[in-house]
Amino acid sequence: MKYSTPNTVLYIDGKFEKAADANADIYGQSLHYGYAVFEGIRAYQTHNGTRIFKAREHFERLKKSAELVHMPFNWDIDDLIKQTYKLLELNNLKDAYIRPLIYCAPNMTLVAATEVSIMICAWDWGLYLGHKLQKVCISSYERPNPKSTPIEAKVSGNYVNSILATTEARSKGFDEALLLDSDGHIAEGPGANIFIEKKGRLYTPPLGNILPGITRATVMHLCRVLDIDVIEKHLTVKDIKHADSAFFCGTAVEIAGIANIDEYKFPLRWTDTVGSTIQRTYKSLVLEKHNYEVII
Ligand code: PMP
């Protein structure tokens, strides 16, 4: 997959420059220690033009991530949103995945950064897990303990855990992993939150040991609009292996139905699940389709 062409433009610290000319210093904590924070955002081509979905929420979370790891964040969120729209325009992108990253100036110590840069890039990226139902296994890796690293922050270093979990899942013939938290409860996927369905109700792990997903919050909002019960509670492996259905949700994956967890195959046909209704409604919402407006 190529993420850029010779004409691709990036936003770095207030300026637009060619991706091909951009460079980052080798002597930095971001590269060496995974000490950087980032976001994953999507823009959609809607009948109202290209629209960045939940732009403010994502940049607010970027700010929170920076604060949680003691990085300075001196940017104005309205301006970052404006610059991101400009970036899409300069790259002629209508549907896009947008990746802001805050990374450190040269410094090889283990002391919090005082000087950072912000870079925003974007590329056209289809659904991260594709359209097919996912074969998922319970990972032998746990999500990082929130007492070890702020799990609510989207910190680059936390994603080594994600890479290990996905790699293990693929090596066993599965599509994706599902990780437990350090208390042995269901936490989340390597890059997505999880919902399970039982008797027409949805259940999802509470905040605390997971990334507070913006899609997760959107799904919960859609449930309220559609009068679907959604309950935040600690879930066990047994709970998921007695569920009717399950799905991942996240900006990159959107809503991805799950076929099975380990050997356990979900009994409900995906098209008959609440998840499938949420999947359709989510798409209408991000595309600003008229029928969603009527629903709310
Ligand atoms: N959990 C993890 C570990 C993630 O990386 C992501 C993707 N950002 C999510 C959940 C879903 O978050 P969001 O819906 O905000 O994209």
Side-chain angles (χ1 to χ4, degrees), residues 38-40 58 61 97 143 154 159 162 188-193 210-216 249-252:
F38 68 101
E39 265 307 316
H58 281 282
R61 188 172 63 187
Y97 183 80
R143 286 298 283 158
K154 216 166 153 53
Y159 283 79
S162 300
E188 59 189 330
N193 293 114
I210 58 172
L211 188 83
I214 289 161
T215 319
R216 175 186 177 277
C249 70
T251 300

Side-chain angles (χ1 to χ4, degrees), residues 163-191:
I163 291 171
L164 291 172
T166 300
T167 305
E168 179 191 60
R170 300 267 165 101
S171 76
K172 291 178 164 174
F174 291 91
D175 300 310
E176 193 50 295
L178 177 61
L179 294 94
L180 308 185
D181 63 23
S182 46
D183 300 322
H185 294 124
I186 302 287
E188 59 189 330

Side-chain angles (χ1 to χ4, degrees), residues 30-261:
S30 302
L31 190 60
H32 289 256
Y33 312 134
Y35 184 52
V37 295
F38 68 101
E39 265 307 316
I41 315 176
R42 271 194 191 278
Y44 294 91
Q45 184 171 16
T46 76
H47 61 95
N48 297 318
T50 291
R51 302 275 285 204
I52 303 173
F53 186 63
K54 305 271 182 196
R56 181 165 307 281
E57 285 83 344
H58 281 282
F59 280 107
E60 291 284 0
R61 188 172 63 187
L62 184 66
K63 181 173 184 196
K64 176 119 191 279
S65 295
E67 285 167 0
L68 283 168
V69 297
H70 312 295
M71 276 184 182
F73 187 103
N74 295 320
W75 301 281
D76 175 63
I77 288 183
D78 285 324
D79 184 56
L80 290 175
I81 296 172
K82 202 171 105 196
Q83 302 303 340
T84 307
Y85 273 108
K86 179 100 191 281
L87 180 82
L88 295 178
E89 214 178 287
L90 290 172
N91 287 294
N92 201 19
L93 284 165
K94 304 217 158 32
D95 283 300
Y97 183 80
I98 301 159
R99 168 55 56 81
L101 175 77
I102 301 178
Y103 60 101
C104 304
N107 168 14
M108 294 296 288
T109 73
L110 296 179
V111 178
T114 52
E115 237 186 280
V116 290
S117 289
I118 188 164
M119 182 283 301
I120 309 175
C121 60
W123 64 91
D124 192 350
W125 220 17
L127 285 185
Y128 180 69
L129 295 173
H131 291 271
K132 73 176 177 64
L133 293 183
Q134 299 294 299
K135 296 192 211 106
V136 173
C137 64
I138 301 289
S139 185
S140 72
Y141 295 97
E142 280 176 1
R143 286 298 283 158
N145 188 322
K147 288 181 183 157
S148 307
T149 181
I151 195 74
E152 303 216 336
K154 216 166 153 53
V155 181
S156 297
N158 291 352
Y159 283 79
V160 176
N161 171 258
S162 300
I163 291 171
L164 291 172
T166 300
T167 305
E168 179 191 60
R170 300 267 165 101
S171 76
K172 291 178 164 174
F174 291 91
D175 300 310
E176 193 50 295
L178 177 61
L179 294 94
L180 308 185
D181 63 23
S182 46
D183 300 322
H185 294 124
I186 302 287
E188 59 189 330
N193 293 114
I194 185 145
F195 281 80
I196 71 173
E197 176 177 341
K198 182 82 182 171
K199 297 197 175 114
R201 292 175 148 172
L202 293 185
Y203 297 84
T204 195
L207 298 184
N209 292 343
I210 58 172
L211 188 83
I214 289 161
T215 319
R216 175 186 177 277
T218 305
V219 168
M220 292 176 71
H221 166 75
L222 290 178
C223 285
R224 283 192 288 279
V225 171
L226 298 171
D227 201 18
I228 296 164
D229 285 337
V230 57
I231 297 137
E232 290 176 274
K233 77 187 267 271
H234 290 298
L235 301 167
T236 63
V237 173
K238 191 167 164 215
D239 290 329
I240 200 165
K241 291 192 178 175
H242 284 81
D244 298 329
S245 169
F247 61 88
F248 281 129
C249 70
T251 300
V253 308
E254 299 185 349
I255 309 293
I258 299 177
N260 59 287
I261 300 280

